Amino acid sequence: MEKILNAYYMDNARKLHKTVDKILVKYGGLSEKDTDDFYSLANEVFVDAMRRYDHSQSFDVFLYSCLSNKFKTEMTRRNREKRRIDRMCVSLDTPIGDEEESTLRDVIADGNTIERELFEREEGYSKRMLMYLGRLSNLQKDVLRLDAAGFFPGEIRRELHISERQYTDCWAAIHSYRNVSVLLS
């Protein structure tokens, strides 16, 4: 087992990365961050494969099938998550107000953002802005504040010590139509 471990992790895990790359090339279009995520996942799969390996076949073949199955599962999970997020999206042509003559597109076409509205005002906040802020958790307000200050998503996650999932959930809540709608009425 030690021989297998050394073979895969020699030269900064070069053999493991080559195996992962062979599988990922089938999916195409992955960002560097996604590739890094799959390398991390491969480390977990490798440990599990070492534990479950029964010598009935080549370890290379066994590991490849374990990695391939895990990556398929992960891609399915990611795609399912994207579809869930897509269902939460609201069309820019959604009518707003009682008259339904205005759409969301009409309101946001001027380039104002929640962040700019929130943090660039000289005077106190409007009643609508206070209602909007009241709908956000303290963590969501912190994410919003850091984003308005120019932090990148990774920097925000590190600054607030939150996971990518927590950041995504905060971002979705900050921009959800349910919360933003108080600014539009």
Side-chain angles (χ1 to χ4, degrees), residues 14-142:
R14 189 166 130 205
K15 186 173 181 179
L16 182 62
H17 286 191
K18 285 177 84 173
T19 305
V20 169
D21 291 340
K22 283 180 190 176
I23 297 169
L24 293 182
V25 75
K26 296 175 187 175
Y27 295 105
L30 293 175
S31 70
E32 189 175 321
K33 183 216 169 290
D34 288 331
T35 304
D36 286 344
D37 289 347
F38 281 101
Y39 287 153
S40 296
L41 187 58
N43 286 317
E44 295 173 23
V45 172
F46 183 85
V47 170
D48 184 56
M50 289 283 289
R51 187 178 46 80
R52 295 185 310 131
Y53 182 55
D54 64 3
H55 301 281
S56 64
Q57 61 184 329
S58 155
F59 182 78
D60 294 343
V61 172
F62 180 68
L63 178 63
Y64 186 91
S65 66
C66 291
L67 288 169
S68 184
N69 289 335
K70 187 66 169 183
F71 290 177
K72 285 177 191 174
T73 302
E74 178 63 15
M75 290 302 282
T76 300
R77 186 194 66 75
R78 287 176 180 219
N79 288 331
R80 187 175 295 129
E81 183 67 22
K82 287 179 190 174
R83 287 191 303 273
R84 185 183 71 80
I85 290 171
D86 285 346
R87 285 191 301 261
M88 295 174 14
C89 293
V90 176
S91 169
L92 292 176
D93 297 319
T94 301
I96 58 170
D98 296 334
E99 299 148 14
E100 295 190 2
E101 293 177 11
S102 297
T103 65
L104 193 55
R105 182 186 313 273
D106 297 332
V107 177
I108 62 172
D110 62 1
N112 281 335
T113 64
I114 295 168
E115 294 84 354
R116 191 172 293 138
E117 175 74 17
L118 181 60
F119 293 106
E120 290 184 357
R121 282 192 156 205
E122 296 291 325
E123 70 275 359
Y125 298 127
S126 68
K127 183 178 179 183
R128 284 191 228 164
M129 183 55 73
L130 291 173
M131 286 175 56
Y132 168 74
L133 290 172
R135 291 179 175 212
L136 301 180
S137 70
N138 289 337
L139 180 59
Q140 291 163 353
K141 290 176 196 174
D142 289 341

Side-chain angles (χ1 to χ4, degrees), residues 155-174:
E155 295 171 323
I156 293 171
R157 290 193 310 267
R158 282 190 295 280
E159 181 75 20
L160 298 176
H161 307 289
I162 60 174
S163 67
E164 184 175 340
R165 173 69 185 232
Q166 288 172 302
Y167 173 82
T168 303
D169 289 346
C170 287
W171 191 253
I174 289 166

